[in-house]
Amino acid sequence: MENNKMNFEGKNVLVTGGSRGIGRAIALSFAKNGANIIINYTSNEEAAINVKKEVEKFGKQCEIIKCDVSNYEDVLGMIDNIIKKFKKIDVLINNAGITKDNLLMRMKESDFKKVIDINLNGVFNVTKAVSKFMIKEKFGKIINITSVVGIIGNAGQSNYCASKAGIIGFTKSIAKELASRNINVNAIAPGFIETDMTEILNEKLKEKMIEQIPQKTVGKAENIADTALFLASDLSNYITGQVINVDGGMVM
């Protein structure tokens, strides 16, 4: 009988920004499919603890670790702690991200820098720290969460779009560097997805955005999680350096 290629038993998955939204959905999907989960969070400990409890309902190990991914020394400490406990990291989901939206003329330099530091530098920091151990294991799946606005841009989000476009370039470069070490590196570009970030938008803006989506509906965090499962599984072993838009046809 053929092995179940979506079975992650014995695999350890690190999800940055895993306490809510897309990160939470990804963590729970992997746990449901047999993986042990490490949740990185920055501030919302209560939400992280709740995800841990949900993961443990599937009978899987779960660790929550507070760490600012924009601080390289903190990231090194986090990864060392994970390796001591779990021995290896099989799948890395770089999901941590923030927004500080404003038009360019009104945007503070500090707001531009903060978004780049967490969204882009954070991906560099965690990937650099984790890839060293993946190279030793001669195996790894790295999945970076970018955004369709990193491809098409969006008024009032120059900092966020720059960070997400940077992730795409980073993904393709690292995929070329690590391919010979049996490490796949891909990115997922979500479109308009129901999360805490989109919940605060007014109804008129939501309706305008839905009009631009051929499927005429908002995506779910689980849609992103399903794509992450595929990219982390054996089904995607010959896929690397790619950006998969999960957006209902918004960007073609």
Side-chain angles (χ1 to χ4, degrees), residues 8 11-40 47-48 50-56 58 60-64 91 93 95 145 221-222 224-226 228-229:
F8 294 94
K11 293 282 174 46
N12 304 320
V13 180
L14 168 59
V15 184
T16 71
S19 65
R20 59 194 178 92
I22 289 171
R24 174 182 175 278
I26 289 173
L28 294 179
S29 289
F30 274 98
K32 190 176 181 180
N33 284 274
N36 300 314
I37 307 295
I38 304 102
I39 299 290
N40 153 256
N50 287 338
V51 178
K52 176 178 165 70
K53 288 176 181 175
E54 290 187 69
V55 167
E56 288 172 343
F58 295 111
K60 309 316 299 179
Q61 278 185 278
C62 185
E63 190 82 7
I64 60 171
V91 180
I93 312 287
N95 170 72
I145 307 300
E222 288 72 23
I224 310 304
D226 289 344
L229 285 173

Side-chain angles (χ1 to χ4, degrees), residues 207-219 247-249:
E207 287 172 14
K208 187 178 178 182
M209 293 185 75
I210 290 170
E211 283 173 15
Q212 299 170 34
I213 303 170
Q215 289 192 350
K216 301 300 180 193
T217 186
V218 176
D247 63 358

Side-chain angles (χ1 to χ4, degrees), residues 225-246:
D226 289 344
T227 309
L229 285 173
F230 166 71
L231 288 174
S233 76
D234 291 344
L235 295 170
S236 67
N237 283 345
Y238 203 54
I239 299 172
T240 197
Q242 303 305 306
V243 181
I244 300 179
N245 296 349
V246 183

Side-chain angles (χ1 to χ4, degrees), residues 102-108:
N102 220 329
L103 295 173
L104 178 63
M105 293 298 109
R106 297 175 189 160
M107 186 175 290
K108 297 175 184 174

Side-chain angles (χ1 to χ4, degrees), residues 31 47 66 74 81 88-89 120 162 190-191 211 214 216 232 236 242 245:
K66 183 175 183 178
D74 285 0
N81 286 335
K88 62 190 175 77
I89 297 170
L120 181 55
E211 283 173 15
K216 301 300 180 193
S236 67
Q242 303 305 306
N245 296 349

Side-chain angles (χ1 to χ4, degrees), residues 92-221:
L92 166 62
I93 312 287
N94 280 309
N95 170 72
I98 63 166
T99 57
K100 287 187 176 291
D101 298 348
N102 220 329
L103 295 173
L104 178 63
M105 293 298 109
R106 297 175 189 160
M107 186 175 290
K108 297 175 184 174
E109 182 190 7
S110 59
D111 286 347
F112 190 93
K113 186 176 184 301
K114 184 71 172 175
V115 170
I116 296 294
D117 279 347
I118 292 175
N119 296 11
L120 181 55
N121 295 350
V123 172
F124 165 80
N125 291 339
V126 181
T127 303
K128 182 176 169 64
V130 170
S131 61
K132 176 175 71 173
F133 296 99
M134 287 183 169
I135 288 169
K136 285 181 183 176
E137 295 289 331
K138 296 184 174 62
F139 175 83
K141 301 274 191 170
I142 299 172
I143 300 161
N144 299 323
I145 307 300
T146 178
S147 170
V148 292
V149 299
I151 301 168
I152 62 173
N154 196 32
Q157 287 195 307
S158 59
N159 50 2
Y160 185 75
C161 295
S163 71
K164 293 301 185 178
I167 288 172
I168 292 171
F170 179 81
T171 297
K172 291 177 179 293
S173 298
I174 301 309
K176 290 185 175 182
E177 290 185 23
L178 299 179
S180 64
R181 310 302 182 94
N182 195 34
I183 299 169
N184 299 63
V185 188
N186 292 289
I188 300 172
F192 191 26
I193 307 294
E194 274 185 2
T195 64
D196 292 346
M197 280 186 183
T198 58
E199 191 61 36
I200 61 173
L201 301 174
N202 66 61
E203 288 304 315
K204 192 173 182 181
L205 183 57
K206 284 182 186 177
E207 287 172 14
K208 187 178 178 182
M209 293 185 75
I210 290 170
E211 283 173 15
Q212 299 170 34
I213 303 170
Q215 289 192 350
K216 301 300 180 193
T217 186
V218 176
K220 306 283 187 185

